Amino acid sequence: MKNAFISGLVIGIATIIWVFSAQKIGFYPESILQNSEEWIIYTSLLIPFLGLYFGIKNYKTKRKNKISFTEAVFEGFKILAIGSLLSAIFSFLYLSTAAYIHPIDYMEIAVIALGVGLIFIFLNALLLMNPQKKLG
């Protein structure tokens, strides 16, 4: 659980920094879509992918480089849950006090990011699992 907490904390803090810096630079969800600057949203996808990859890889290393697909998926769910919870708490507190009038736009991106994070869990589990031995 310690590994999931630390990796989830890294994902949460990196997401908080991304949201805060994007807003300070002047990138809001509607301005990104109006100005055709979707690449900024795509950069945020690196946070859960890399966080999950290194978190599951660290878990695999602690288990003597042996991990099954199911174990990797379960560890990924724990990491993503902690990171998402931290990001959600920050987003709720920060966006409710910010002078931004459309916080629902950030919530749409957060829900999409969570869905993509679930896909990344399965992708990282496939990348990091040990191949199964043939029975025949």
Side-chain angles (χ1 to χ4, degrees):
M1 189 65 179
K2 182 179 177 184
N3 178 62
F5 183 75
I6 292 170
S7 299
L9 196 64
V10 168
I11 289 175
I13 290 172
T15 303
I16 289 168
I17 291 169
W18 186 90
V19 169
F20 186 73
S21 61
Q23 190 178 27
K24 290 299 177 189
I25 293 171
F27 294 119
Y28 297 96
E30 76 261 357
S31 70
I32 290 171
L33 297 175
Q34 288 173 355
N35 299 331
S36 298
E37 296 173 334
E38 292 89 3
W39 65 270
I40 296 166
I41 295 174
Y42 299 137
T43 61
S44 69
L45 296 178
L46 291 173
I47 297 168
F49 181 78
L50 293 175
L52 286 166
Y53 178 81
F54 289 114
I56 295 171
K57 186 173 172 82
N58 187 34
Y59 181 71
K60 180 180 178 180
T61 303
K62 288 182 180 181
R63 295 184 43 88
K64 300 178 184 171
N65 283 329
K66 293 183 181 181
I67 191 169
S68 69
F69 177 77
T70 308
E71 292 170 327
V73 167
F74 188 65
E75 185 69 13
F77 278 130
K78 291 189 294 186
I79 292 169
L80 192 62
I82 293 168
S84 299
L85 181 64
L86 183 63
S87 299
I89 291 170
F90 167 78
S91 296
F92 177 75
L93 295 174
Y94 178 69
L95 294 175
S96 64
T97 61
Y100 183 61
I101 57 173
H102 300 292
I104 193 71
D105 294 336
Y106 280 105
M107 295 306 117
E108 289 172 355
I109 292 173
V111 169
I112 291 169
L114 184 61
V116 171
L118 293 173
I119 293 169
F120 285 163
I121 288 172
F122 292 110
L123 181 62
N124 282 312
L126 285 171
L127 287 172
L128 294 169
M129 74 177 202
N130 292 57
Q132 301 297 318
K133 295 181 181 178
K134 294 182 182 178
L135 296 175

